[in-house]
Structure formats: structure tokens, C-alpha cells
Amino acid sequence: MFITETGPSPSEQNRTKTIFPLFDNGNQKSWSSVLTSSNSNALTVAINSPSDAVIGYYILSVSKNTSSTQPLSPQPIGGFYLLFNPWSQEDDVFLADENERQEYVLNERGVIFMGSDTDMLGMTWNYNQFEKSILEICFAILDRSINCQKDPVTDVAQRNDPLYVCRVLNATVNSKDENGVLVENWSGFYDDGVSPSSWNGSSAILKSWYLKGYKPVKYGQCWVYGGVLCTVLRCLGIPTRVITNFNSAQDKNGNLYIDIFYDNRGSSNKSVQDLMWNFHVWNEAWFNRKDVDSAYNGWQVMDATPLEKSDGIYCCGPAPRVAIKEGDVNLKYDVAFMFASVNADLAHWINFDDGTKKRISNDTKYIGKYISTKAVGSDDRVDVTNLYKYPEGSLEERQVFEKAVNKLLDSPLVELEKKLLYFRKRGEQKPKIGTMLSGMFSLPQVPSLGQDIYMILNLHNLTADNIRVIVNMTSSSILYTGKHKYEIWADAKIAPLGPSQEKNISIPLTYAQYKKYMDEDNLIRMTALCEVEGTDERILVEKDIILVKPPITIKGYGAHTAKYYGYGAHTAKYYPASDAPKLAYCTGSASFSPSCCRGKAVSARRIGEHTVWSSDATMQLVYIVNLQEHTIPCNQEARGLPPLNPGEKTEVIFSITPFKSGNYISVIKMHFGTNLPAGRFGGRTAHAPAILEDGGAQEEDGRDPGWIVTDESPKGLKRFLCYQ
């Protein structure tokens, strides 16, 4: 007999232990075995597991029947991991399209979109779900969950259900309630850990957590949580993808409205609960739901970033994406929270000194724009907004919103009378559309970090009378989550306007004024609260400014040598930039590839000097020389340089010495990390863009190796030095 066992105290009742004959008819709906071949001293047996078996690590044993009253003890013969199977039609995670399986299960590399609704950027993320030790780590995450710590037998028995597994992993990827994988941090201070923008893949995070005794890794933000959870779920066989929502709402009070409060001088109320993120990242996992109607099968939305509690722990989802679109906010799990993230109404309020407040605007179209994910089979961005909600302003969209509000009011989980009173008062306080004044901010040119900012506030008198406008202006540094950090500057002006007159007010903000308030997000919010004197007319004008990261210029010069060893003559080939071979793209790095004569043993040595400068911002440069996998083994070198002020330059001299000869092609990657934000705003790549300039490097025969310049990548600049 064969015996399979998984988890603590395995039992047939919990389906964590199974006993089945050595050979039977291969029943596909239960554990079974079929003899496939045999010889004098070996048997080959194919073992089948049912599609709803518990996933995990199994011990396989054999037990021999005897006529003795004392049965022989089972003899373990090996172990194996059992995972979900998206290729099996009987499995809850079955995904019919093979191209989608290749993308959402097998692809180890992805693109996560960031930035803003007006400047969307793609950052490469390495999932590496099939890297050594990752599978073991994924099950360790399950074993460290609150559920498993409280009742490991019951927890393991429920691991046949992807809904249960996803919800547990969703909670345990963050470390709010247990020693989960990641610690969140939006403070801008990461000295005791790693800045979230420095990560470009999941494996380093997962291995750090595992090898350091389940110590939570510092630090993560939303895209890091999304990347790590995608790795874990794909590793376990659950089709998963990463989603980015631009202008994403965080509805903390659960009323489907995002309320932003200002005082009567236009300054934001920092104690406000609701937030509106420039972008937010979460996951979708594909599986069938057995706890709700089959109409809700398919993509399930979950958010591993620890924002709100669900059933007492920091966890969000899985919420059926269909339920989010249809406004079925009463369904599990956390549909109401996710509905608000993409479809809440945005309201601006003024808190007056006497304690009263007034709503001055209500925008039904601002929240939830350009909801994005990576395309199947390419790095293109695919817009999936229509899968989350009906077109903004359409009859269906408003009907779904009202449906969601009504379902929320029917919920037994809230104080119904208080909520009804709130909504009734809200309906009575509908803001008036501005009839006397309109306003708009404009930015003549996009500023770089380190430059002065020149904003223009355009005011338009919509009446046939003379009016005076009191303009209270503020500028603040904010996080991409929408949270205000520092007030940079405030001012007030009186602007008289004649009948139907338009007037432009110039608003300068110098680098000296804002530089000490900047953090990694490089975001400044300009706000103008405009009041028509002697009336109740007030309008709020706002604009978020994303400061572009300045470029880093890298100039190569000095000696470059290549020595060839082998039999016969060897001729070096030089590729001009126009017809150079395409090299693998490395996000945010400058690369050059010395490619040696194929089929010959080769040794190469290369010494160079590089000058690096920045014209626009203070930065700290860290220089790393690394070698890609499957290339000539090489020394690795990291240098830290002193901070660079605007316009300053510095030098670093490095040597790269391969220490193995063979038939290889080596690709040397140079990574330049700065204290500027890595790819979230104001740049085209995941790191500060680097440009290599020809420094007159020559080979031993006096010929210039040439620089390859290819700009066709939509994700930024690629600069390579190549010789063969």
C-alpha cells in the first residue's frame, strides 16, 4: 500500500493522509497509482492526486500487507511537493488559455506600473518564483501565519482551497499581525533597512526573511507587496498578476466617499482619514469561488499592503472583480473597500474657524483611472479599467454607485441609523457649481529636481460685474499616497477682476524654498482657495507637480585592453552603433559587453575610469560592478561616493578582472543607485537614467570599440559598449 501524509498529525478525516493500493485502475478523482514499467530490481509507478487535494510537502511511504497480526510499519521512500494545477480542468485554479498560463504562472519577470495618471512608468520586477528555495519559503510563510500558529492541523487541512490559501498569504506577506515578510514604511527614512524603491525583485526579500529566522524585512510599499505576493502565488500554481490603479482611494470610514478637508486658508487638514493615492498596486488571482455564486468566479482582487483590518487582521480580499464592478459590496471579502478604491466620489470640504464645514466640490470621475497591468506576452500596458467599473458618468456607473450605497446602508455591520443620518445630511449639502469664478493651474515647463518652479494660476471672472478675489495659496510636499508631509510655502493675494476678465497670477517656488522638504516621491501639491469677496462663492484649484529626476552622465575614458588566447589567428570585430547586436535590456543600468571569439578559450581584462556628474540635484552615487549569470566569473566591486551637489562632478576608478577562461560571452552591468526616487516619478527607468559618452577608448590595435546607442525601448535609455 502507498501512504501519503502532509502536515502535523495527518489523518484521513482531514484529508491530510491517504492510503491507497500500490496498483489500481488510476482513478483520477482520488489518490491512485499505475505501474508504468518494471525490471528485475525496479518499478516505475505514476501516482495521481485528486484535483482538490491539500497542497504541501508530502511524505510517501509504502506498507506491506502480511498475514501476521502485527502489520509492518510504513517505510518512507521519499517526499514531494503538491501544488495547485492551472492546467487541470478539475482544479479550482484552472485557466483555459495557454498564453495566459505562460504569463500568469510561468513568467518569472514582469512590469509594475507606477507614476501618475498623466505620467505612467513601467518598472521591471523579477518574480523568480522558480528560483531555488523559493517553494520551501512559500510554504514557510503559510506555516508562520496566525491561523497555522493557532491551529496547525485545521489550517493545513484547508490548504486545498485557493480562497483560503490566498487570504492567509495576503495577510502574512505583511508583518502587522505576525512575523510576516515585509514591514511597511512611508516615512522616507530607511537607515535601518532597505528603501522600498531599491528592490527590483522578490527573491532577495523572501530569502532574507527566511534565512534570518523569519525576521520581517525592512521595508516595503505597495508595489513591493504586490510583487512579492505575485511571486508566492505563482510559485504555488495560482495564476496571478499585478494591477496598478491610478488616483486610488483609501476609504477609511467606509462611506464610499473620499473626503479631503482644508481650513479657510487653503491648508490641508493633516488629521484627515481618507487618502487619495497617485497610484496603488494590488494583485489579482484566478480561481473559482465556492462560497458565492459561480458568476463571481475568475479574477479575485487582493491587496497585501497593510492598510485596513479585515476580520480583525490586516488583510484585504480576495474580492471578486465582478462584484466590484457590479457594486455587490455586501460580498466577501472586502468588496466595499475595493469598490471605493476605484469608484468612490471625491469631495473637498472647508473647515471654518467656528467649527462649521462646507462641501465645495464633488468629483464623480477622478477616482480610479487607467487601471493597468502587463500585457500577455509583452511588456505593454493593458488598460483594464472597464473590467472594474462602467464608463465614468454613464447611467450604469451611477446606478451601480447608488446600488453600492444602498447595500452598504443595509449592512448589519454598521450603526444603521447613524449612517442613514450621515447620507441624508450629505444629500442636503450638495455643492453649488461655481457661477462667478473659474480657475486653473498651469505649468509652462516640467521642472527637474533642483530647478525653480514657475506656476501660473489663471482666474476667470464669469460675471458682468467687477469682483475681488481673495486667493489663499499653499504648497506642500506630499507622498504618492496623497498624505501631506510638510507645508513648504503659503501666501495670500487680492486679485481684482473686471467683467469677464481673465488674469494670470505667477507663482514662483524656488529650489531653496522646497529642497529641504523633498522626499523620495518628489511630489509638490499646489493649492489655491479662491473666495469672491462679499459672497459665498469659493473654488478650490489644485495641481500636483512631479519633479523630474535629473540625468546622470557617465563618461568613459582611459585604457581598455583585451587579450585573446587560443589556437590560430583571432581578428577582433567592431560593431558600429547602427548595426550592433541587440543585448538584453537591463532596467536602469548602463551596460557594455566585451564579446570574445566564439569557440576559442579567452581571457579578458579591462580597466577604465569613469567621470560622473549631475547638473541638477544633490545625490549619493553607489557604483556596483556585477556580472550576469552564465557569463565569465568576475570580481564584483561596490563604491560609495560623496554626495554630489548640483553641477558637481566626481570620479571613480575601477577594474574588472575575469578570473576564468572559457567559451563565454560576458555582460558587465553597472548599476547606479542614488538617493533620488528609483523610478516612481519623474524618470523613464527604474533608476536614475544613465548616459554613457564615448571617451575615446581604444583597443590595443588602436581602433575605437565604438558605442552602441539604442533608444527604441519605451522604458528608457540603453547604452552599451560592445566589442568582439
Side-chain angles (χ1 to χ4, degrees), residues 204-274:
I205 296 170
L206 292 169
K207 289 180 179 180
S208 176
W209 173 80
Y210 184 69
L211 296 175
K212 293 182 179 179
Y214 314 116
K215 182 179 179 180
V217 178
K218 300 177 179 179
Y219 289 102
Q221 292 178 8
C222 66
W223 70 94
V224 185
Y225 285 102
V228 170
L229 185 59
C230 186
T231 293
V232 174
L233 295 182
R234 285 187 183 182
C235 182
L236 299 180
I238 302 175
T240 309
R241 62 187 186 180
V242 177
I243 301 292
T244 301
N245 179 36
F246 293 96
N247 295 350
S248 187
Q250 184 182 353
D251 180 21
K252 290 195 171 185
N253 56 15
N255 59 21
L256 305 186
Y257 290 87
I258 303 303
D259 297 306
I260 309 297
F261 291 88
Y262 299 84
D263 62 25
N264 56 6
R265 288 168 293 278
S267 296
S268 176
N269 186 340
K270 295 181 180 180
S271 64
V272 66
Q273 292 296 304
D274 293 341

Side-chain angles (χ1 to χ4, degrees), residues 382-600:
V382 174
D383 194 302
V384 295
T385 308
N386 65 317
L387 302 178
Y388 276 83
K389 58 183 182 178
Y390 290 96
E392 290 288 3
S394 67
L395 177 62
E396 294 92 340
E397 187 267 339
R398 286 292 92 188
Q399 288 176 338
V400 167
F401 186 84
E402 294 301 324
K403 171 185 174 183
V405 169
N406 291 332
K407 284 182 175 290
L408 188 65
L409 293 177
D410 289 338
S411 171
L413 302 179
V414 297
E415 299 176 50
L416 183 57
E417 290 185 5
K418 183 184 294 185
K419 207 134 197 175
L420 283 170
L421 179 62
Y422 175 85
F423 278 100
R424 185 161 58 248
K425 285 185 176 180
R426 189 175 193 112
E428 295 168 354
Q429 297 172 341
K430 291 183 178 179
K432 297 177 181 178
I433 299 173
T435 58
M436 303 179 67
L437 182 69
S438 68
M440 181 179 66
F441 274 123
S442 62
L443 196 61
Q445 66 179 40
V446 179
S448 294
L449 184 66
Q451 295 179 340
D452 295 343
I453 301 170
Y454 296 96
M455 293 283 293
I456 294 175
L457 174 62
N458 175 269
L459 295 177
H460 185 195
N461 182 0
L462 303 178
T463 74
D465 301 318
N466 292 316
I467 62 173
R468 281 166 52 91
V469 181
I470 303 171
V471 184
N472 289 288
M473 297 174 290
T474 61
S475 64
S476 305
S477 66
I478 64 172
L479 300 177
Y480 80 100
T481 63
K483 184 177 181 180
H484 284 245
K485 292 206 69 178
Y486 307 104
E487 185 174 283
I488 300 172
W489 163 88
D491 195 10
K493 292 181 181 294
I494 301 292
L497 294 175
S500 302
Q501 181 185 359
E502 286 192 55
K503 178 176 288 188
N504 288 332
I505 300 175
S506 179
I507 307 171
L509 185 65
T510 66
Y511 177 58
Q513 287 176 299
Y514 72 75
K515 65 178 181 179
K516 68 179 181 179
Y517 299 109
M518 287 293 91
D519 55 36
E520 61 178 357
D521 289 347
N522 286 349
L523 272 170
I524 293 176
R525 176 167 291 170
M526 298 292 295
T527 303
L529 181 60
C530 307
E531 176 184 355
V532 178
E533 194 174 51
T535 73
D536 291 334
E537 178 89 353
R538 288 179 175 84
I539 64 169
L540 185 75
V541 186
E542 259 187 354
K543 186 174 181 65
D544 290 348
I545 304 168
I546 302 173
L547 298 175
V548 177
K549 293 177 298 182
I552 301 174
T553 306
I554 303 157
K555 187 175 183 180
Y557 62 92
H560 300 270
T561 63
K563 297 181 180 180
Y564 301 88
Y565 302 90
Y567 299 99
H570 304 284
T571 303
K573 297 181 180 179
Y574 298 86
Y575 291 97
S578 59
D579 58 2
K582 295 293 187 288
L583 301 179
Y585 176 66
C586 303
T587 301
S589 66
S591 303
F592 57 87
S593 173
S595 176
C596 308
C597 300
R598 303 189 183 198
K600 305 292 184 181

Side-chain angles (χ1 to χ4, degrees), residues 46-115:
I47 295 178
N48 175 74
S49 64
S51 59
D52 60 350
V54 170
I55 66 165
Y57 182 75
Y58 281 80
I59 299 296
L60 179 65
S61 304
V62 293
S63 178
K64 182 179 179 182
N65 290 328
T66 67
S67 57
S68 170
T69 57
Q70 296 295 327
L72 297 177
S73 299
Q75 298 298 312
I77 59 173
F80 60 90
Y81 281 103
L82 189 68
L83 308 177
F84 294 107
N85 186 0
W87 280 264
S88 171
Q89 295 187 25
E90 304 299 322
D91 201 304
D92 286 334
V93 303
F94 172 67
L95 186 60
D97 188 285
E98 175 59 24
N99 291 328
E100 291 186 347
R101 290 196 293 257
Q102 292 293 323
E103 180 67 46
Y104 300 136
V105 181
L106 299 182
N107 195 348
E108 295 190 77
R109 175 188 165 280
V111 176
I112 300 176
F113 295 95
M114 302 177 169

